[in-house]
Amino acid sequence: MTSSAASDIHPAILKLESLAPFDLTSGERAALQALPVQTAELKADQDIVREGDHPTRCCVLLEGLACVYKLTAEGRRQIMAVQVPGDIPDLQSLHLNTLDNSVGTLTPCRLGFISHDAIRELCRAHPRIGGILWRETLVDAAIFREWMLNLGRREAYGRLAHLLCELVARLRAVGLVQDDTCDLPLTQAELGDILGLSTVHVNRTLQELRAAGLITLRGGSLTVDDWAGLAAAGEFDPAYLHLQPRRT
């Protein structure tokens, strides 16, 4: 594990800016860049924190994809959230002593770890940043509600279309989408754990989306060929993400 340079938390700053209804001041940006961050690289399919842990620090996802998940007694996994660069998947550990879920990597990831004390001091010194972090937890809850609707009331075709729309929108907010194309190296088994579908059902549904001319998914790269069509298929309305217009 190594100490970070100021540029290491750039994805987190982009994420906060995508949620903030105001521009960060130079002082707020400098305070974020000055946070003491310890970085680490993890391989795919490794736990970052586990259910029942008592963390004293939060992790910021800097590169790669991670997930929040829970397991049944038989070891079957349900992915509750997909984390993209800039996300702080265990932010709730700042106020909850015991984690009630696990966080793991889906792909090789680079992570930044920030102590709870450093985050609390940042929030005391810069209350508006504390407000954005609170806003982030509220948006996480909004995403969770949308996922509940997706899992409970949409058929497989709509579920997958909605998920892809959401991930593209969130990756776009942190500058990781170019010409409607982004890296999305999720396996069909992982998509099944997200959507509550068998791998066979995921494969068939992907073929249907391709055949409809909505997406191209090849070699871990996703291209949305028909955004309006994909959004309609998934009944996707990005309002629940509460993303702010990019300011220049």
Side-chain angles (χ1 to χ4, degrees):
M1 188 172 291
T2 61
S3 296
S4 78
S7 60
D8 276 330
I9 64 168
H10 184 62
I13 295 175
L14 281 177
K15 170 64 182 296
L16 293 178
E17 288 179 329
S18 76
L19 295 177
F22 49 78
D23 291 322
L24 293 176
T25 66
S26 59
E28 288 167 338
R29 181 179 288 274
L32 287 166
Q33 292 174 335
L35 279 170
V37 181
Q38 296 291 312
T39 60
E41 295 186 3
L42 273 66
K43 297 178 181 179
D45 303 316
Q46 288 188 277
D47 280 335
I48 302 168
V49 288
R50 296 185 178 93
E51 185 173 358
D53 282 353
H54 307 283
T56 58
R57 60 186 186 173
C58 290
C59 68
V60 181
L61 183 59
L62 302 175
E63 295 177 7
L65 297 175
C67 68
V68 174
Y69 73 91
K70 291 180 75 73
L71 297 172
T72 67
E74 295 79 22
R76 299 177 65 187
R77 181 174 67 169
Q78 178 65 50
I79 292 177
M80 319 299 291
V82 173
Q83 306 296 321
V84 305
D87 287 348
I88 309 175
D90 59 350
L91 184 58
Q92 74 272 22
S93 70
L94 192 62
H95 298 293
L96 299 178
N97 293 332
T98 304
L99 283 182
D100 54 45
N101 57 253
S102 299
V103 180
T105 61
L106 293 170
T107 68
C109 289
R110 191 164 66 91
L111 302 160
F113 294 93
I114 309 172
S115 73
H116 288 170
D117 287 343
I119 296 175
R120 292 188 183 105
E121 179 55 35
L122 174 71
C123 294
R124 282 193 291 267
H126 299 277
R128 295 205 314 170
I129 293 177
I132 303 173
L133 293 175
W134 171 231
R135 185 180 177 90
E136 181 169 355
T137 64
L138 295 176
V139 172
D140 285 345
I143 292 173
F144 182 76
R145 290 190 290 272
E146 192 68 22
W147 277 41
M148 289 291 291
L149 175 63
N150 206 35
L151 282 169
R153 294 302 178 190
R154 293 189 180 107
E155 300 299 324
Y157 189 80
R159 282 187 214 178
L160 183 51
H162 190 280
L163 174 68
L164 296 179
C165 284
E166 178 188 301
L167 292 177
V168 170
R170 291 169 60 199
L171 288 167
R172 192 187 301 279
V174 290
L176 295 177
V177 176
Q178 182 68 37
D179 298 327
D180 294 319
T181 297
C182 60
D183 290 335
L184 196 68
L186 297 177
T187 68
Q188 293 184 11
E190 288 165 345
L191 290 171
D193 286 348
I194 295 167
L195 299 170
L197 301 171
S198 69
T199 303
V200 171
H201 204 166
V202 169
N203 182 276
R204 183 165 60 247
T205 307
L206 283 171
Q207 291 182 36
E208 291 173 355
L209 291 172
R210 291 190 185 103
L214 302 182
I215 65 167
T216 300
L217 185 59
R218 183 182 300 113
S221 177
L222 170 69
T223 298
V224 179
D225 299 308
D226 180 355
W227 177 261
L230 189 66
E235 300 177 336
F236 179 73
D237 178 349
Y240 71 98
L241 297 174
H242 299 279
L243 295 171
Q244 301 300 303
R246 186 177 292 276
R247 294 175 289 274
T248 57

